[in-house]
């Protein structure tokens, strides 16, 4: 069975500082990784997926299979980045898009 | 624009009551999911459905059942609500089998007294 771990429940940084939200996973096959975000009073929504190798709102994440990690990074945090962030994994070959989510990290960016 | 709606934003029920949570999506998605969201535990999958009348257990199905009689609607049923089912319930839908994004509803905050 797959597992996703986000070791930090809370993360606080100041505006303009770099930020890294950690995500580690355990899965024996070839996973697909995602980051979802929930801003205050908004719905949970997809932020980015590893296969796209894209930067969204200045965030990037690289899948490191050796370290089984998919950390989310942004060089200069903004106040509007304050939100709940979830890392999620889709096991390779799993049908129907079923995801396993981590525990979530609440990011607070102070002015 | 994908729209996933949930029947109630807030719900208060008593222990032992039968509770129905409804979810409707308007994008003809095959897959629908029910999660509960708890602080420190993240999102945990209760049940999902990949077609009408088809359902599969997620990670925490105990105490819950589901119904999918129409493609656009996925219902979560608590046969006999208990206080440990007090939680935020999120519904989601997605298209097809691959990497397609899950679209979430606004959530239902259920309190069981």
């Amino acid at each position: 069975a797959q597992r996703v771990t986000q070791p930090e429940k809370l993360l606080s940084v100041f505006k303009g500082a770099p930020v890294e939200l950690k995500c580690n996973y355990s899965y024996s096959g070839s996973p697909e990784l995602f980051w979802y975000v929930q801003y205050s009073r908004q719905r949970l929504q997809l932020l980015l997926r590893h296969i796209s190798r894209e930067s969204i709102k200045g965030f990037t994440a690289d899948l490191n299979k050796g370290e089984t990690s998919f950390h989310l990074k942004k060089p200069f945090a903004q106040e509007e980045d304050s939100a709940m962030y979830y890392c999620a994994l889709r096991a390779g070959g799993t049908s129907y898009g079923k995801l396993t989510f981590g525990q979530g990290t609440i990011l607070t960016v102070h002015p | 624009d994908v729209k996933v709606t949930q029947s109630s934003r807030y719900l208060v029920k008593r222990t032992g009551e039968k509770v129905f949570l409804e979810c409707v999506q308007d994008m003809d998605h095959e897959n629908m999911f029910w999660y509960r969201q708890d602080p420190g535990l993240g999102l945990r999958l209760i049940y999902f459905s990949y077609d009408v009348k088809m359902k599969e257990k997620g990670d925490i199905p105990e105490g819950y059942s589901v119904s999918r009689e129409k493609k656009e609607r996925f219902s979560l049923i608590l046969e006999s609500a208990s206080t440990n089912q007090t939680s935020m319930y999120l519904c989601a839908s997605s298209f097809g089998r691959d990497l397609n994004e899950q679209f979430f509803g606004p959530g239902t905050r259920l309190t069981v007294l």
Side-chain angles (χ1 to χ4, degrees), chain B residues 7 23 71 112:
Chain B
S7 52
C23 176
K71 191 174 186 180
V112 182

Side-chain angles (χ1 to χ4, degrees), chain B residues 97-108:
Chain B
R97 294 190 170 198
D98 297 320
L99 277 175
N100 294 299
E101 176 180 354
Q102 286 192 18
F103 293 88
F104 284 82
T108 295

Side-chain angles (χ1 to χ4, degrees), chain B residues 5-21:
Chain B
T5 57
Q6 295 183 228
S7 52
S8 304
R9 195 77 177 91
Y10 299 94
L11 208 53
V12 180
K13 296 291 181 182
R14 297 210 173 269
T15 301
E17 280 193 80
K18 190 168 186 176
V19 181
F20 292 87
L21 302 183

Side-chain angles (χ1 to χ4, degrees), chain A residues 9 32 34 36 38 43-46 49 51 84 86 90 94-104, chain B residues 3-4 31 33 35 37 40-43 45 48 50 56 90 94 96-102 104-106:
Chain A
K9 192 177 290 189
E32 293 150 0
F34 306 80
Y36 278 77
Q38 188 170 28
R43 300 170 185 226
L44 192 62
Q45 58 187 290
L46 178 67
R49 64 192 87 188
I51 200 163
M84 170 72 91
Y86 289 101
R90 177 178 176 270
T94 300
S95 298
Y96 320 122
K98 180 170 167 260
L99 296 174
T100 299
F101 284 84
Q103 302 90 330
Chain B
K3 199 68 181 299
V4 180
N31 310 316
F33 308 84
Y35 296 90
Q37 182 183 30
L41 297 176
L43 270 74
L45 182 65
F48 69 102
Y50 52 90
E56 286 202 20
L90 298 182
S94 70
R97 294 190 170 198
D98 297 320
L99 277 175
N100 294 299
E101 176 180 354
Q102 286 192 18
F104 284 82

Side-chain angles (χ1 to χ4, degrees), chain B residues 22-76:
Chain B
E22 305 285 341
C23 176
V24 177
Q25 50 92 5
D26 66 358
M27 284 300 293
D28 204 34
H29 283 173
E30 287 88 350
N31 310 316
M32 296 188 75
F33 308 84
W34 274 107
Y35 296 90
R36 60 178 286 176
Q37 182 183 30
D38 299 289
L41 297 176
L43 270 74
R44 293 178 292 166
L45 182 65
I46 304 171
Y47 266 97
F48 69 102
S49 169
Y50 52 90
D51 201 351
V52 175
K53 297 192 185 295
M54 305 305 288
K55 60 186 179 185
E56 286 202 20
K57 293 180 180 179
D59 300 316
I60 52 163
E62 296 79 17
Y64 304 94
S65 62
V66 290
S67 172
R68 189 144 180 225
E69 296 297 317
K70 293 185 178 181
K71 191 174 186 180
E72 67 271 18
R73 187 180 297 271
F74 191 35
S75 302
L76 180 69

